[in-house]
Amino acid sequence: KNEVEQSPQNLTAQEGEFITINCSYSVGISALHWLQQHPGGGIVSLFMLSSGKKKHGRLIATINIQEKHSSLHITASHPRDSAVYICAVPRIQGAQKLVFGQGTRLTINP
Amino acid sequence: GAVVSQHPSWVICKSGTSVKIECRSLDFQATTMFWYRQFPKQSLMLMATSNEGSKATYEQGVEKDKFLINHASLTLSTLTVTSAHPEDSSFYICSARLARTSTDTQYFGPGTRLTVL
């Protein structure tokens, strides 16, 4: 079993839909990262969170440390949100090295 | 926010040549930088951890003599792919850890796509 599991692996939706991407992890962590990778390959750090919820524009990230689960939500999705979304956690709690999920490929159709 | 740049963004080279990729933290000091490699449709794989002023720590299976890493300052780390071969073609990404915080904050560069002919 992978240390970091994302679901779904692929997601296609229509513009305007509410999107949820899930991440479950088995290691103990102090913080979880959500990253966005566009088709060109560039990676953008979306969130780093260790508890509760964070919001940035139409993006919301939540984390439940006890359940070792995090979700990334996109409200009013838009075609420009099409990308691969990756969650990552430190391999060991407090460590710097990250373990990455396999990514969720999101496609938003107009 | 913290910005990390990489140069070049893409490079095509002949087999046997060496290629240098730069990773810079533009508005913060980074005591630690990480180098990742990503093959098509795969996730990022950590290659090495680079600490300013000291030797890099390589992950198992990564040849340190082939992938030379230099972290000469708090804002610059370089990865040199020596004697590149077609199997080294990949997307190389760096990340930098903020020096002033003890949290796990990392900021990622945009990546460099290397194609070896």
Side-chain angles (χ1 to χ4, degrees):
Chain A
K1 186 178 187 299
N2 293 333
E3 292 171 296
V4 182
E5 292 272 357
Q6 287 184 235
S7 63
Q9 291 190 30
N10 293 283
L11 178 58
T12 300
Q14 290 298 122
E15 182 174 358
E17 287 188 39
F18 181 80
I19 303 299
T20 296
I21 299 170
N22 297 300
C23 176
S24 296
Y25 52 91
S26 58
V27 297
I29 69 164
S30 51
L32 179 145
H33 298 253
W34 277 104
L35 311 171
Q36 180 191 54
Q37 185 170 31
H38 280 284
I43 288 182
V44 175
S45 296
L46 298 175
F47 296 103
M48 189 200 70
L49 68 165
S50 55
S51 64
K53 179 169 81 172
K54 284 190 176 181
K55 185 176 188 293
H56 185 254
R58 294 181 294 106
L59 300 177
I60 303 167
T62 63
I63 189 168
N64 185 316
I65 296 292
Q66 287 74 28
E67 295 185 2
K68 296 187 175 181
H69 181 268
S70 176
S71 293
L72 176 68
H73 305 285
I74 305 175
T75 62
S77 59
H78 191 276
R80 64 175 175 266
D81 297 326
S82 298
V84 176
Y85 293 84
I86 304 167
C87 71
V89 301
R91 180 166 289 158
I92 302 172
Q93 187 168 357
Q96 302 175 55
K97 294 182 183 180
L98 297 178
V99 178
F100 296 85
Q102 75 273 35
T104 295
R105 185 173 299 275
L106 174 65
T107 303
I108 303 297
N109 294 318
Chain B
V3 177
V4 175
S5 71
Q6 282 186 238
H7 178 80
S9 55
W10 59 270
V11 57
I12 301 173
C13 69
K14 292 182 178 180
S15 184
T17 60
S18 293
V19 176
K20 180 185 284 189
I21 302 170
E22 292 184 349
C23 176
R24 291 183 186 273
S25 56
L26 297 185
D27 52 359
F28 67 98
Q29 292 184 329
T31 52
T32 305
M33 289 184 173
F34 303 89
W35 286 98
Y36 300 89
R37 181 168 51 183
Q38 185 183 37
F39 292 107
K41 297 191 176 181
Q42 294 187 23
S43 192
L44 284 76
M45 295 295 296
L46 180 65
M47 298 176 66
T49 303
S50 169
N51 292 299
E52 186 265 337
S54 64
K55 290 184 179 180
T57 304
Y58 291 81
E59 295 298 299
Q60 193 172 10
V62 178
E63 299 174 58
K64 62 180 180 181
D65 294 330
K66 180 169 184 60
F67 298 99
L68 301 178
I69 292 173
N70 183 281
H71 194 157
S73 76
L74 285 171
T75 59
L76 173 64
S77 176
T78 60
L79 168 68
T80 301
V81 183
T82 62
S83 186
H85 287 279
E87 57 265 29
D88 298 324
S89 298
S90 186
F91 193 60
Y92 292 87
I93 304 164
C94 72
S95 71
R97 179 173 177 266
L98 279 169
R100 65 175 184 271
T101 175
S102 60
T103 65
D104 302 319
T105 309
Q106 287 189 37
Y107 294 91
F108 287 80
T112 297
R113 187 164 302 282
L114 170 64
T115 302
V116 184
L117 302 176

